[in-house]
Amino acid sequence: MEIKVEDAIKWFEKINEKIKLNKEYLTSLDQVIGDSDHGINMARGFEEVVNKLSAKEYGTVSEVLKDAAMTLMSKVGGASGPLFGTAFLRFSTAVKVKESVDFETFTLGLESALEGVKHRGKSTAGEKTMIDVWSPVVDFFKRENDFQPDELLYESRTAMENTKEIMATKGRASYFKENSIGHIDPGAASSYYIFEALAEVLQEGEK
Amino acid sequence: MEIKVEDAIKWFEKINEKIKLNKEYLTSLDQVIGDSDHGINMARGFEEVVNKLSAKEYGTVSEVLKDAAMTLMSKVGGASGPLFGTAFLRFSTAVKVKESVDFETFTLGLESALEGVKHRGKSTAGEKTMIDVWSPVVDFFKRENDFQPDELLYESRTAMENTKEIMATKGRASYFKENSIGHIDPGAASSYYIFEALAEVLQEGEK
Amino acid sequence: MKKIINDPNNVVNDMINGMIAAYPHDLRQIPNTAVIVRSDAPVVNKVALISGGGSGHEPAHAGYIGRGMLDAAVTGEVFTSPTPDQIFEAIKAVNSGNGVFLIIKNYTGDVLNFEMAAELAEAEDIKVEKVIVNDDVAVEDSSYTIGRRGIAGTVFVHKIAGAKAEKGASLEEVKSVAEKVVKNVRSMGMALSPCTVPAAGKPSFKLAEDEMEIGIGIHGEAGIERKSITSADKIAGELTDRILGDININEEDEVAVMINGLGSTPEMELYIINNKVNEILTEKGIRIYKTYVGEFMTALEMTGCSVSILKLDDELKQLLDAPSEAVAFRS
Amino acid sequence: MKKIINDPNNVVNDMINGMIAAYPHDLRQIPNTAVIVRSDAPVVNKVALISGGGSGHEPAHAGYIGRGMLDAAVTGEVFTSPTPDQIFEAIKAVNSGNGVFLIIKNYTGDVLNFEMAAELAEAEDIKVEKVIVNDDVAVEDSSYTIGRRGIAGTVFVHKIAGAKAEKGASLEEVKSVAEKVVKNVRSMGMALSPCTVPAAGKPSFKLAEDEMEIGIGIHGEAGIERKSITSADKIAGELTDRILGDININEEDEVAVMINGLGSTPEMELYIINNKVNEILTEKGIRIYKTYVGEFMTALEMTGCSVSILKLDDELKQLLDAPSEAVAFRS
Ligand SMILES: Nc1ncnc2c1ncn2[C@@H]1O[C@H](COP(=O)(O)OP(=O)(O)O)[C@@H](O)[C@H]1O
Ligand SMILES: Nc1ncnc2c1ncn2[C@@H]1O[C@H](COP(=O)(O)OP(=O)(O)O)[C@@H](O)[C@H]1O
Ligand SMILES: [Mg+2]
Ligand SMILES: [Mg+2]
Ligand SMILES: [Mg+2]
Ligand SMILES: [Mg+2]
C-alpha cells in the first residue's frame, strides 16, 4: 500500500478524534508529572490541523504534512508544539519527492521526524519523552518491508507503556525525578494515538 | 452582702476563666453572624485585665472597675472593646463614693453601665446586642432588694438565649438581617459569662 | 488551616516587623504600638492623614502610607478595629499642628474606637476631623442601623484626600474633598470561598462547591444572595448594575474604576471582570478616566472580588493623578 | 473548580482584553495575536525587550511592560509557552533596528518556542539576543537535563535589563547585564495548596491538610520534599539557607530580596516571611539594599511563596533604582 493525500488527511482526522476523546486522560497524565496542559495543548493543535486541512486542496502528502506541522507549531505551544511541529515538518521534507508515499519513503520520513525531535529537544531515547515511542516505532519500520498495522499498534502501545518504567531526565517531568517512575509520559501517550491513528488508516486501506 | 475589693477582683478572674474556657465557642458564635473574632478579642482583653489587677493594690471597688475598663478599652478592640470598656468605666464612676459596694449602689452602677453602652453604641434593647443581656439584668436588679445569685444566673442566661429570636439591627450582625435569627449574639453570650461570674462570686460570698 | 505563620496570636506583630524590615526608609513603627507612620512624620505644614482598622486587609492600610497618601496607619488585630489608645498614639505621632484627619470605614468597632481616640486628642487640643466611608451598596442605607460598610472605595479616599493634604490644603478642605469622594464612590463585592482568621483557625463561613455569595463584606459578613456560580460576565454585570442603580452617573460622565481582588483571586480573573465592567460602562457612554486592577483591600485569603466606581470631576481627577509614593500605590 | 471566568478555553483572550481596557494609554495589543506591547512601540534607538511564557503568572509578563522594563510580552495559553509565530510577531512589533532581546525562563517549551522565533527573526535580518533565566535552586543544576527552572528572579532581569536598554545600551550590553543578573540571582519556592488550570478543571496536584511542598515550581512541578507544615520562620529559614548555600554571598555584600506570593497567600504572610529572611541576612552581616514584597510571579491561585535573593554591585543597584513605568512595577 502507498499513503496517498486522502490517507494522510484521514490520518490527521483520526489523530484529532483520538486526542479529543482522550484529552482529559492526556491532561491527567500531565497532572501527575507535568503542568496539566498536555491534552489541552494537543486537542487545540490537532483541531486546528483538521480545520486547516479541510479548507484546502492538496497535491502531495508532503504538503499535507507541512501544513499540519506549521499548524501544530503555531497552535500547540509548550514543549510538545515545537517538537511535534518539527517532527511533521522533517517528515514533510523527507517525503517531498513523491505525490504518494510508499513504505520505504514513509520509513525515511518517520526516521527524519525522529531525528528532528531529538535535535530540537536535545534529547535521546530513554529519557521518558515522546521519543520513547517514536524511536521504537522507527526501529520497527526499519525491521519490516511493508506496513504492518496490527504490529504497529502493538509496538507503539508497548513503547508507550514502557515509558512508565523510565525516570524522566528531560522536559518538565524531569523535576519529578524518581517520582516520575510508574507514570506514562504524556507526550508518549499522544504519540501512541498518532500511531494508533496511522494503524487504523492502514487497516482501512488494506480492505 | 457588700461587694469588696477582693470580690471585684475575683469577679474579673472568674470572667477571665469563663471567657478563656469559652473562647472558641464565642468565636464560633461570631463566625455565624460576624467576623470570627469575638472570643479572641474578649480573651485577650480579660487576660490583660487580670494581669493588671494582680499587679496592683486597690483601695476601692471603683478603682478596680476603672482599671478593668481602661484595659478592656485598650486591649479588646472591635465593637466590644469600647462598649465593655465604657460599661465598666461608667460603673466605676457610679460607685466611686464607697470603698465597698452595697446592693443599691451596685444596681446604680449596673444601670449606669447599661446607659453607657447604649449611648456609646447608639443602640437600645431589642437589637440583638449585649444590651439584650445587660438590660434585663438591670431590670432584674431593680426589681429586687438584695443580691440573688441563683436568679441572676437564670435571668442572664434566659436573656442571652432570647437573643436568638431577635433580628439584628446593630453591629456586624445587622448585615445578616433575617439570617441572624436563630443565633445567639456573641456579645450577649460574653455578657452572660460576666453575670455568671458575678453570680458565683455572690454565691461564694454568701457561704 | 494552612497558613505561613508562626504563633497565630502574633501575626500582626510579625507582619509589622516584616513591613518595617522591607521598607526601612519609608516606614517607621512607633515603639510599643501597632502604629506605622511615614518615616518623616510629622510632616510640617501638612494636615496629617490616618487610616486603619483590623489587619488582614493588606495592603490596606499601611501600604498606603507615603508622600501623597497617608501619614499613619493603625493596625488592629485581624479583622478587629484598633483601640483608642493606639489611634491616639498615631494622632500624636503625625500631628504637626495643622490638624489630623481620620479616615474611618463604617463599622461599629472602627467608628467607636476612632471617635474615642478623637475625643482623647481633642482633650489635648489637637484638631481632629474625620470622614466615614460607606461605599458598599450591598447593605441597605438605613438610618436605623449602622448603615453601609466601608470597603475598597476607601482607597480612593486615601489617595484623593492624601493628595489634597500634600498640596497644603487645610483640615477643612481635606475633609471636604474626602466627603466628596465618599459621596461619589460606590462598591460591591462577591466571594467564592471564605477566609480563616489565624487565631480562630476555622473558615469564617462556608460556601458549597458551586456557590458564590454576592454582596459579601470584607470580613465575611453576609451579602445579598447566595447562588450558583455564574460567568465572570454575569458577575461583573450584577455588581456594576447594582452600583449604577445607586448613584447617578450619566453619559459623558467620567469615572475611575477599581477591580479589587479579595485575596486568592488570580489577577487573570480580575482582568476578565474588568473586561466586562469596561464594556458595560463604555456602552452607556460613561467615560473611564482610569482603571485600577489588583489587590487593594483584601480579606485574608478570601476568593472573590469587588468593583468600585468613583464619579469624577476636575478636582478629583487632578488629585487622583497627583504623585503618590505610597509603598502599595505609586502613581 | 471555583473561578471567576467565562469560557475556560477563552481565559487568556478575556484577560488580554481586560488588560488593554484597563491601561489603554500604556498597552496595546498587536491585532489577532497574543502579543501586548508598549503603546509607543517600537521605541526608536532602543534595544527592545521581550518576555513571555504561559499565562497564569500575572502580573508576569504583561504587567512588566512599560518605560524602563519590557517592550512586549507574549502570552501563551495557561502554563503553556507561546508559539514561535506569536513571539515572532512581538519581535517584529518592537524592533526599531537596535536589536531585540528575549528574556526566557528555562523550561523546555519556552526555550524551544523562543529559539524558533529567534531563528525566524534572524532569517529576516533582525538582530536577536537572549538570556535564559534559571534561578530556581530547588532543581539540581545538571548539564544532562534541562537544568534549573526560571521563576521569580526573572522579574529582576526584566527590571535591570530594561533599565539598561532604556539608558541606550547596545544589544550586547543589555545581554551582558542580563547575564550578570542571572548569574547573581537565586530563588526557591514552597506551596501549601495547588492551583487549577481553567481548561483542566482539576487541581494540578494534591497536598494533605497538614502538608506543604518545599521547592515547588510555578506550574506545580515537583519540589524537593513534601512534609508537615512548619512555622513561617522555619520555612523562611529553609528557603534562605538553600539559596545561600548555592551562591557566594559574604558579609558586607549587598542584596535585593524579593518575597513573592504565588497567588493565594495573604500579603500579611509574605511580610511574616520577610521578617525572618531579613533577620537571617542581617545576622550574617549581609546588607539588604532593597526589598520587594508582593505578587510578582504567581501560579494562578496556588498558596505559597518564593524567596529570591540578588547579589548586587554598583551597576545593578543603579539599574534597580532607575525609574520604571511598568503597570505592575513602578519605581
Ligand atoms: N526535550 C524533550 N525532548 C523530547 N520530548 C520532550 C522534551 N521535553 C518534553 N517533551 C515531551 O513533551 C511532553 C510535554 O508536553 P506539554 O505538556 O504539551 O508541554 P509542557 O511540558 O511545556 O507543558 C512530555 O510529555 C514529553 O513527551
Ligand atoms: N451598636 C452596638 N451596641 C451594642 N452592642 C453592640 C453594638 N455593635 C456591636 N455590639 C456587640 O458587639 C459584639 C461584637 O463584638 P466583636 O466581635 O468583638 O466586635 P466586631 O463586631 O467589631 O468584630 C456583638 O455581638 C454585639 O453584642
Ligand atoms: Mg504540560
Ligand atoms: Mg467580631
Ligand atoms: Mg472584628
Ligand atoms: Mg505547559
Side-chain angles (χ1 to χ4, degrees), chain A:
Chain A
M1 166 189 184
E2 293 213 333
I3 305 290
K4 292 175 287 297
V5 165
E6 313 84 76
D7 300 319
I9 291 175
K10 196 184 285 168
W11 185 16
F12 286 104
E13 284 168 356
K14 280 188 182 287
I15 299 175
N16 183 38
E17 275 166 30
K18 288 179 190 301
I19 296 277
K20 202 185 284 181
L21 213 65
N22 293 285
K23 177 176 162 180
E24 290 200 14
Y25 169 66
L26 289 172
T27 295
S28 74
L29 293 178
D30 201 31
Q31 225 147 22
V32 185
I33 54 168
D35 60 349
S36 312
D37 61 356
H38 187 62
I40 306 164
N41 294 344
M42 295 298 284
R44 183 175 55 241
F46 280 96
E47 171 87 21
E48 292 284 345
V49 167
V50 167
N51 287 343
K52 175 88 186 176
L53 298 184
S54 71
K56 225 169 112 177
E57 291 293 310
Y58 289 91
T60 66
V61 168
S62 173
E63 284 164 37
V64 173
L65 292 168
K66 189 177 178 193
D67 269 7
M70 296 312 293
T71 307
L72 292 174
M73 206 91 94
S74 72
K75 294 298 174 191
V76 176
S80 53
L83 292 170
F84 282 120
T86 300
F88 287 108
L89 194 60
R90 292 290 184 97
F91 203 147
S92 158
T93 311
V95 304
K96 221 172 201 169
V97 275
K98 298 179 188 161
E99 196 176 301
S100 49
V101 179
D102 61 16
F103 177 75
E104 204 178 335
T105 319
F106 197 92
T107 305
L108 281 175
L110 273 184
E111 204 175 348
S112 212
L114 171 61
E115 286 315 308
V117 173
K118 284 182 171 176
H119 177 253
R120 180 60 71 200
K122 301 193 181 64
S123 45
T124 180
E127 299 189 302
K128 197 184 189 94
T129 68
M130 55 177 73
I131 293 173
D132 293 308
V133 168
W134 284 78
S135 179
V137 164
V138 166
D139 290 346
F140 163 71
F141 267 79
K142 284 162 79 178
R143 281 199 308 273
E144 303 294 329
N145 299 312
D146 201 355
F147 294 113
Q148 308 283 0
D150 296 358
E151 279 142 68
L152 170 59
L153 206 58
Y154 173 81
E155 290 286 340
S156 51
R157 176 181 287 132
T158 310
M160 164 186 74
E161 300 212 317
N162 286 344
T163 63
K164 267 197 191 174
E165 315 307 324
I166 309 174
M167 186 177 97
T169 54
K170 281 288 150 62
R172 225 175 275 275
S174 67
Y175 310 129
F176 292 80
K177 287 185 244 160
E178 310 79 44
N179 293 331
S180 69
I181 297 172
H183 305 285
I184 292 175
D185 175 63
S190 49
S191 298
Y192 164 69
Y193 294 124
I194 290 174
F195 294 115
E196 191 191 38
L198 177 60
E200 288 177 16
V201 171
L202 295 171
Q203 271 161 343
E204 289 170 20
E206 277 175 350
K207 274 173 231 156

Side-chain angles (χ1 to χ4, degrees), chain B residues 23-24 27-28 30-32 34-37 40-41 44 72-83 86 120-122 124 126-127 168-172 174-177 179, chain C residues 9 77-86 106-113 115-116 119 138-140 144-149 197 199-200 202-205 219-223:
Chain B
K23 177 176 162 180
E24 290 200 15
T27 296
S28 75
D30 201 31
Q31 226 146 22
V32 185
D35 59 349
S36 312
D37 63 355
I40 306 165
N41 294 346
R44 184 176 55 241
L72 292 175
M73 206 91 92
S74 71
K75 294 297 173 191
V76 175
S80 52
L83 292 169
T86 301
R120 182 57 72 198
K122 300 192 182 63
T124 179
E127 299 190 301
T169 52
K170 281 287 149 64
R172 225 175 276 277
S174 66
Y175 309 131
F176 292 81
K177 286 185 244 160
N179 293 330
Chain C
N9 296 307
E77 290 298 321
V78 177
F79 290 176
T80 301
S81 166
T83 54
D85 56 314
Q86 299 291 306
N106 193 33
Y107 297 97
T108 308
D110 290 75
V111 173
L112 293 183
N113 286 287
E115 274 179 1
M116 290 173 75
E119 287 169 24
V139 179
E140 274 161 48
Y144 187 47
T145 70
I146 174 88
R148 289 180 166 175
R149 302 175 286 221
V197 173
K202 272 181 257 160
S204 53
F205 59 94
H219 313 89
E221 308 99 338

Side-chain angles (χ1 to χ4, degrees), chain A residues 120 122, chain D residues 110-119 130 132:
Chain A
R120 180 60 71 200
K122 301 193 181 64
Chain D
D110 291 75
V111 173
L112 294 184
N113 286 287
F114 275 84
E115 273 178 2
M116 289 173 75
E119 287 169 26
K130 65 168 195 283
I132 296 183

Side-chain angles (χ1 to χ4, degrees), chain D residues 68 159 163-164 167 290 317-324 331:
Chain D
K159 175 68 188 78
K164 188 81 185 177
K167 282 186 199 300
K290 215 158 189 167
K317 270 158 56 177
Q318 199 201 325
L319 293 169
L320 201 56
D321 287 342
S324 155
S331 71

